[in-house]
Amino acid sequence: MVADRGPAAASGTDAGDAGSARDAGSAQGAAGNVVFRRAVPVLRIFDVAKAHEFYVDYLGCTVDWEHRYEPGMPLYTQVSRGNLVLHLSEHHGDATPGSTLHTELTGVRELHAELAAKDYPYLRPGLEHDEIGTCLTLLDPFGNRLRFNEPGPGGDASSARCDG
């Protein structure tokens, strides 16, 4: 259910930012103890060996843990590399194949050089440069797109879109 924000919200008028100030104040007051720590995307996979080949061998992640309800059931696992944390799932309802992950980083050129030096025949990505920064786009074996974006001088990587 959507809360009624009064006539100013319904009409699209500003009402002197009183509503915005009220909303900001209540968000701080009522939810002052709510702290978002990190978002962990869930990416759909179909083959554990292919997932390990891409995420562990190629991208350089480590497997932090693996979970199956019982032997032979679909895998749900966490892989990570530094502050990059990903959940990979074989469960059909957990994620949509072909999703896009956008992450900001420092060292995109070094990551590109590292990946280019590996013997991974399925992907040879390039770097894209624009006024916002430099982007490396990877496509995993399941159609998921991983965009690694490093902001340029004065750039804001969160608004960047690289279509590699």
Side-chain angles (χ1 to χ4, degrees), residues 92-111:
H92 74 275
D94 280 347
T96 302
S99 295
T100 298
L101 165 93
H102 175 94
T103 188
E104 297 177 14
L105 78 157
T106 301
V108 72
R109 288 171 184 79
E110 291 83 354
L111 178 60

Side-chain angles (χ1 to χ4, degrees), residues 38-43 55 83-86 98-106 108 111 128 130 132-138 144-152 155-164:
R38 68 176 178 185
V40 179
V42 179
L43 300 173
Y55 287 98
N83 290 328
L84 176 68
V85 178
L86 305 171
S99 295
T100 298
L101 165 93
H102 175 94
T103 188
E104 297 177 14
L105 78 157
T106 301
V108 72
L111 178 60
E128 298 176 48
D130 61 22
I132 297 173
T134 304
C135 185
L136 171 66
T137 301
L138 305 178
N144 299 304
R145 189 176 309 271
L146 291 80
R147 293 182 178 147
F148 297 98
N149 199 11
E150 181 171 8
D156 175 12
S158 64
S159 64
R161 178 177 169 147
C162 39
D163 293 316

Side-chain angles (χ1 to χ4, degrees), residues 5 8-9 12-28:
R5 296 176 41 132
T13 60
D14 187 6
D17 286 328
S20 298
R22 181 187 69 239
D23 292 344
S26 16
Q28 290 175 345

